[in-house]
Amino acid sequence: MGMTDVLIVGAGPTGLVLACDLARRGAAVRIVDRSPAPPRTSRAKGPNPRSLEILDDLGVVEEVLAAGSAPLPMLKYRDRLPVAEADPWADTAPSPDAPYDRGWLIAQWRLEGILRDRLAGYGVRVEPGREVVGLTQARHDDGGGNEVNRGDGGHVDVTYADGPAGRARYVVGCDGAHSSVRKLLGIGFEGTTDEDQVMVCGDVDLAEGALDRTRWHQWFDEDGAVMLCPIPGTRTGWWFQAGPERDGRGRPLAPTADGFRRLLAHHTALPGRALTRAELLSTYRVNVRMADRFRAGRVLLAGDAAHVHAIAGGLGMNTGIQDAFNLGWKLGLVLAGHADTRLLDTYEEERLPVAARTLDLTSERLRATLEAIRRPGGGLDAAITPDTTGLDVGYRWSSLAAHHADAPATPAAGDRAPDAPCADAATGARTRLHRVFAGPRTTVLGFGPGSAAVLRGTADAYGDAGVRICRVYAAHEDRTGVEPGAVVDDAGHAAAAYGTEASGRTGTGTVVVVRPDHHVGLVAPADGARSVREYLRRLHGTGRSAERSPGMVDAVR
C-alpha cells in the first residue's frame, strides 16, 4: 500500500485550504470526503478579512471577490414594516496595514469549488465517497506521546468503509462537528447544545423582483424571525434563515418548503407563493463545544472537528480556514525533515486558546444579538464587531513567539504581521508586504542599513530553501547595489506598521522574522544575529551552509 504524507479527511473549506497549502509545498496529499458528491450546504456566508488574506496568499482571492459580493446593508422590519437600516461597514475602510476591511459574501459551495480547482492545479483531487472507519497509529515513542526520532517511519494505517486501506505519515480530521476522526481517537467534545436556540436554514428562490437584492432583509417579531440575504452570483437565490415553526407543545418542527412559505407569509409582506423553491434545508442548533486536544500523535483535528460555536459573527468557517493555515506550514517543515515533530505541538498550543476565545466571543455576540432583536430596529449588526475580522488574533503566549528585550512594542512576537504598500526596489512596481510574504516560506525583513549583515548571513545559510530575505529601504536611503526582492517603503507605511521609525539608535536597524502564516516570530535589533539564527534553526534546521562547511554558520556572528 502506498504511503501518502498527509491524509486529509473532509473536503470543506478547512480541508481544502490545508490541502492547497501542503500541495504547494510539494507534500504528497490525499483528501477524502464521505459524501458521494461535493456537498451543497447552506452554511457560511463567506470569508472574513483575515481569511481573505489567507485566500490571497493561496492565489485565489481575485476569483473569490469576483464570485461574491461586498457585505450588504441590513434592513430591519417589525410587524412587516421597515423600521431601521444599518450598514456595519459604513465606517470602515481599507488601511495600509489591512487591505481587506470587511468580509465578503460568497456561497460556501462556490468557495469550495474555487479551492478544489486550485488544488486540481497541483494534481490533487478530492476522493468522494470515502468514509474513514479505522485509524491505527504505528510509532515508537517515549511514552509521553513524543516520537523518539523523526526517521522512525511512523505512520497511520487507515481503514475505509469500503475499498482498500491506506497509509499516511499524518492524518488531519477536517470532517466537521460529527467528526469520525475525533470519535475514532476517543477525544472528548465537551460543551453544551441548546435545544431551545434553534434556527431553520435553506437556500430559496424568490419570484424575481419580490425583494430588493441590495439589502439583507431581517424581520424580527415578538413571535419569531425571518432573514433573507441575496446569494451572490444568482438572479433569484436567497439565503433563508428563520425561527422554526413549533408544534402544540412548543417543540421545533423540521424545516420544509411549505413551512418556509408559512413563515414568509406570517412575518413579511410577501405571499407564501413568492417562495418558488427551497432546498438544502437544515436545522441549526446552538452548539458550543471544543475538543479537549487537537493532536493525538500523528493525527490532528481542525475546524468544526475541533470546535463548534454559536453562528453569531460568522466565525465558524473562518476559524477553520485559519486553523488550516496555522497547521499547513508546520506539517510541511516537519515532513521535509527541517523541523522537529515538536513543532506540531505548537498547533494546539496556538489554536486551542483561540478556539476557546472564539467560543466565548460568539456566545457573547449571540447574547447581544438576541437582546438587540427584542427591540424594533435591532438586528444581526449587533454580532459584528472589530473582534470578528480575525485581524487581531495573535499568539503572544506561544513558544514560537520569541520576545526580545529591545524590540519595539508593536507588532509583538506572535501578532499578525501587518501589511504595507511599497514599491519593488529594482523595478519601481507597486507591491505590498503581504505579497512579499506570499507563498510557503518564512520571510526575514531588514529595516535600516545595519540589517544588511543579518540578511546576508541568512541568505548564505538558507539560500531560497524555505527562507526569503527582504530589505525594506526607507525613501531617503541610498539603494546602490540593491538586492533582488528588496522593497522601498516610499510612504513610510512599513516603518509605521513595524514601529521601526522610532528605533532611536541611528545606523543600526531592526530585523523581523515573519512565519509562513504571516505571524511575527521575532523582532530583534539588527545586531541580534544570533537570536535570528536560533529562531530560523527551530523552523528550518541548520540550512545548507552547515552541509557545506561547519565554519560558515558562525560567519555572521
Side-chain angles (χ1 to χ4, degrees), residues 14 18 54 294 301-304 306-307 318-328 347 351-352 354-355 395:
T14 302
L18 181 60
I54 291 168
F294 289 6
L301 300 174
D304 286 356
H307 43 75
N318 286 295
T319 308
I321 287 173
Q322 292 154 35
D323 284 347
F325 204 55
N326 182 288
L327 178 58
Y347 166 63
R351 295 303 296 172
L352 193 143
V354 169
Y395 314 114

Side-chain angles (χ1 to χ4, degrees), residues 10 29 32 62 388:
V29 185
V32 300
E62 299 303 331
T388 54

